[in-house]
Amino acid sequence: MKQKELQTPYWLLEEELLEQNLQRLAYIKEQTGVKILLALKGYALWKSFPLVAKYLDGCCASGLHEAKLSHEKFKKELHTYSPAFKEEDIEEIATISHHLVFNSPSQFKRFSKLAKSHNRDLSLGLRVNPEYSEAPVELYNPCGIYSRLGTTKSNLSKEDFDILLKSEIEGFHFHALCEQESLALENVLNAFEEKFKAFLPHLKWVNFGGGHHITKKGYDIDKLINIITTFQVKYPNLKIYLEPGEAVGWETGTLVTSVLDIVNNGIDIAILDTSAEAQMPDTIIMPYRADVRGSAKAHVKKYTYRLAGNTCLAGDIMGDYSFDEPLKIGDQIIFEDQMHYTMVKATTFNGVPLPDIVIKRKNGEIEVVKEFTYEDFRDRLS
């Protein structure tokens, strides 16, 4: 679908901004020799994959469907991890993946031979929990107390590891960051090394996971490069992977909406043609406050409104914002930085249609790459 008069709501990806992020990631690859994968859980706009694949080495998937998307649309290296695999999915996942990472020794022992029987070139790994994290929100802390994600040192004995070696384990994966700087990675890496150092000489690779805020302004790239190269000198046998998702789509596009109505119940409330519950769930779950173009916090500017969604959920609210001029029905409300996570988490709660997906190409052309219809909603239930 080519350019047309755009109808809100729609997500707008700016290809030029995406490429700037990719070039930043490519620089790290050039300086260190690491491989960088796209985490599909954070960014999965596959219509942009031809550009992303020019710079990154492949994808990391969280299960069968993401693995198939990577295999069909990205067509490069594929690493698949899940907290727990289903036996009926192993054959297809193993056949198309290059790395398969298990969450526990029990899953490894149960499925490693089956997986290798379908792909002798498959590299097997185990996710480990360094039991250290500086994640700013506990909901997003993969190393928090009672976490189910990754194997702790106390649950990986020498006997367990010897069994995994016989089953051809080749790598460790850890993930402990959430929108964080290179210093946080350094601290996590120290904890990882302290707990699992004895196992590292027997492996071929280690995956440092995601949550690296590499493309955010002010991120210390030189420190990241130093962390990586220092580790490489200590463990020359290990190939290093990073798997950012949010950093790929960081500040590359917007969600454009319109005001449908304005009501007052002690505060002016602007009802938009979108939904926090369905299409911006992070604003409720995390929670976080999305930036709105031309706005400030409540009561900073002259006119304050509560921005709310068009569903029956009472808490379907984006937040309170103030503007220089009063809002009118039909005005556009533009939510900044909505390409990562927000899009992949969106649903059709209450039957509210998903926003169209629009890409502004590097040559300035506007292309509508996906329009969501009634049939998309209907077929989710059939």
Side-chain angles (χ1 to χ4, degrees):
M1 290 177 284
K2 297 296 183 181
Q3 184 170 350
K4 65 165 190 173
E5 184 177 352
L6 299 176
Q7 301 293 321
T8 62
Y10 59 87
W11 287 293
L12 175 64
L13 171 73
E14 296 196 43
E15 201 172 49
E16 185 174 356
L17 298 178
L18 175 63
E19 188 164 44
Q20 290 174 13
N21 285 351
L22 295 169
Q23 289 169 344
R24 195 171 175 91
L25 295 169
Y27 173 75
I28 294 165
K29 289 176 51 181
E30 293 164 4
Q31 296 300 307
T32 64
V34 300
K35 287 193 172 185
I36 299 183
L37 310 171
L38 166 64
L40 293 176
K41 65 181 179 180
Y43 182 90
L45 207 177
W46 61 266
K47 285 285 189 176
S48 68
F49 282 3
L51 176 61
V52 180
K54 289 181 180 179
Y55 293 91
L56 303 190
D57 298 290
C59 297
C60 59
S62 302
L64 177 59
H65 288 179
E66 284 188 352
K68 291 176 70 172
L69 181 67
S70 173
H71 178 69
E72 294 173 5
K73 301 299 183 181
F74 207 93
K75 302 179 187 292
K76 294 183 78 173
E77 200 166 331
L78 170 57
H79 297 209
T80 306
Y81 158 82
S82 176
F85 288 105
K86 300 173 73 171
E87 184 171 358
E88 56 263 37
D89 293 341
I90 287 293
E91 177 179 354
E92 188 170 6
I93 289 174
T95 300
I96 63 178
S97 296
H98 298 87
H99 285 199
L100 184 59
V101 180
F102 296 98
N103 189 63
S104 66
S106 62
Q107 280 258 307
F108 196 111
K109 295 169 188 176
R110 182 180 176 191
F111 290 129
S112 59
K113 290 184 180 179
L114 177 61
K116 293 287 280 191
S117 72
H118 295 294
N119 182 356
R120 285 302 308 165
D121 295 326
L122 185 65
S123 183
L124 302 178
L126 178 71
R127 176 167 176 170
V128 295
N129 180 351
E131 299 178 77
Y132 177 90
S133 175
E134 299 175 15
V137 178
E138 192 61 23
L139 180 67
Y140 288 84
N141 183 0
C143 299
I145 189 170
Y146 308 132
S147 175
R148 74 192 189 284
L149 302 173
T151 300
T152 60
K153 174 64 169 58
S154 62
N155 285 299
L156 184 63
S157 65
K158 182 182 183 304
E159 291 73 21
D160 280 329
F161 188 72
D162 287 343
I163 293 172
L164 301 190
L165 278 177
K166 292 178 181 178
S167 299
E168 303 182 68
I169 187 173
E170 293 186 340
F172 276 173
H173 172 284
F174 68 85
H175 173 54
L177 304 182
C178 176
E179 297 185 346
Q180 287 175 293
E181 253 281 1
S182 48
L183 177 60
L185 171 63
E186 183 175 50
N187 293 336
V188 170
L189 190 58
N190 288 337
F192 164 75
E193 187 177 3
E194 178 185 348
K195 287 184 168 61
F196 298 101
K197 182 177 181 178
F199 304 111
L200 299 184
H202 303 282
L203 302 176
K204 295 181 179 180
W205 54 264
V206 61
N207 187 322
F208 287 5
H212 314 274
H213 234 185
I214 298 168
T215 53
K216 184 179 180 180
K217 293 180 180 65
Y219 182 94
D220 192 343
I221 285 184
D222 291 336
K223 184 174 182 62
L224 174 63
I225 291 171
N226 182 63
I227 290 169
I228 292 171
T229 53
T230 300
F231 191 85
Q232 288 171 324
V233 170
K234 294 167 71 173
Y235 303 101
N237 58 303
L238 295 176
K239 182 70 179 178
I240 297 175
Y241 290 88
L242 306 179
E243 50 177 51
E246 182 173 43
V248 174
W250 180 254
E251 294 187 342
T252 61
T254 58
L255 173 60
V256 183
T257 70
S258 293
V259 177
L260 298 179
D261 196 12
I262 298 174
V263 299
N264 184 284
N265 185 6
I267 186 175
D268 287 327
I269 304 168
I271 301 175
L272 309 181
D273 59 354
T274 188
S275 162
E277 166 71 13
Q279 295 160 12
M280 304 171 65
D282 282 2
T283 61
I284 296 176
I285 298 170
M286 182 96 171
Y288 92 103
R289 176 187 172 86
D291 290 333
V292 171
R293 187 170 298 177
S295 78
K297 292 183 178 179
H299 309 299
V300 173
K301 297 190 174 187
K302 188 174 181 180
Y303 301 94
T304 292
Y305 296 84
R306 175 160 294 173
L307 303 183
N310 193 26
T311 71
C312 66
L313 179 70
D316 194 351
I317 295 167
M318 294 80 172
D320 295 349
Y321 297 81
S322 63
F323 300 85
D324 291 320
E325 301 293 333
L327 295 181
K328 304 182 301 296
I329 293 172
D331 282 353
Q332 285 193 350
I333 301 295
I334 300 176
F335 293 91
E336 305 283 9
D337 195 21
Q338 296 294 296
M339 285 296 106
H340 55 83
Y341 279 108
T342 299
M343 185 184 295
V344 294
K345 288 186 175 183
T347 69
T348 54
F349 173 64
N350 261 198
V352 175
L354 289 171
D356 293 345
I357 300 177
V358 182
I359 298 179
K360 183 179 180 181
R361 299 296 185 184
K362 289 187 292 182
N363 63 6
E365 177 187 351
I366 299 292
E367 182 179 356
V368 180
V369 298
K370 177 65 177 178
E371 292 178 285
F372 292 94
T373 64
Y374 158 71
E375 286 74 22
D376 293 299
F377 168 71
R378 178 198 66 195
D379 292 345
R380 292 178 65 249
L381 308 174
S382 60

